[in-house]
Amino acid sequence: MTEISIKNLCKEYNDAPVLRNVNMEISGEEFCVIVGASGCGKSTFLRILLGEIQPSSGEIRIDGRPLPPEPGPERGVVYQRYSVFPHMSVLENVMLGPGFAASPLLGRLSGKRRRAAADEAMHYLREVGLDHACSLYPASLSGGMQQRLALAQALIMKPQILLLDEPFGALDPGTRKDMQDLILRLWRENRMVVFMVTHDLEEGFMLGTRVVVFDKIPSLKDGNENSGATITYDIPLNGRRKPCD
Ligand SMILES: Nc1ncnc2c1ncn2[C@@H]1O[C@H](COP(=O)(O)OP(=O)(O)OP(=O)(O)O)[C@@H](O)[C@H]1O
Ligand SMILES: [Mg+2]
């Protein structure tokens, strides 16, 4: 079971506050949906969790230990737009993570280890329904297929935490519905904490075990809006669904 503790997290960019005193406790494999107005700091929050940027103050602990200051295999990420490598086949894209884990300089495996990584990559491609496309290149995949590929790429590293930044924002409604079903199944099977940013409230309430609203807080002193955003609502939906349901 994953425990995440976020205490008084603040982030400023060039002295401009973006996040102010964000507090959150997560216990167990929650599906935490994050909503909020454009520019209120949702992606910034995910990038801090990923270790891509550092908070200005505050602390994040995972299972009691400080969050590692750099991205690592225990935290996967999928963005709205494609984060896959265009010059590599679908299979090679998924094998890349294990390759770099085993051989940080070259990212390539050989012999038995390469075959084992290919078998594992095929397993995750089957999980996301892309095994039939393993030898294609990303340019010939639809948007939904590219997002499935990005999910397989993240999942093969067996992340404890999966960060999704508007992952279905660029998809048509039919594909989006399929991807919502897929992400719920993957979350249940892989027992991860998911943080997912969406602008679609209906999607948030349908997928989440918890919906967290970020909003800017007016400055107490002068009423201006530039004092950063914090969590203004934290709505538990746990009664409805648990990972093992
Ligand atoms: N690297 C950066 N340097 C300076 N300012 C930044 C940087 N990244 C983001 N910002 C600013 O921080 C604020 C929050 O940005 P962020 O991307 O986190 O918002 P968001 O809630 O994800 O917005 P959206 O819903 O549009 O994706 C914005 O005002 C943005 O301009
Ligand atoms: Mg964003």
Side-chain angles (χ1 to χ4, degrees), residues 14-36:
N14 313 318
D15 291 338
V18 173
L19 295 174
R20 170 75 59 91
N21 290 337
V22 174
N23 290 289
M24 190 190 272
E25 299 290 327
I26 294 223
S27 181
E29 283 77 30
E30 289 226 46
F31 195 122
C32 182
V33 170
I34 298 168
V35 297

Side-chain angles (χ1 to χ4, degrees), residues 4 11 62 84 89 98 127 137 139 167 173 183 198 213 225 232 245:
I4 302 173
K11 176 69 184 172
I62 300 177
V84 298
S89 72
E127 282 281 288
Y137 281 78
I183 195 64
T198 180
V213 182
E225 289 290 309
T232 52
D245 283 356

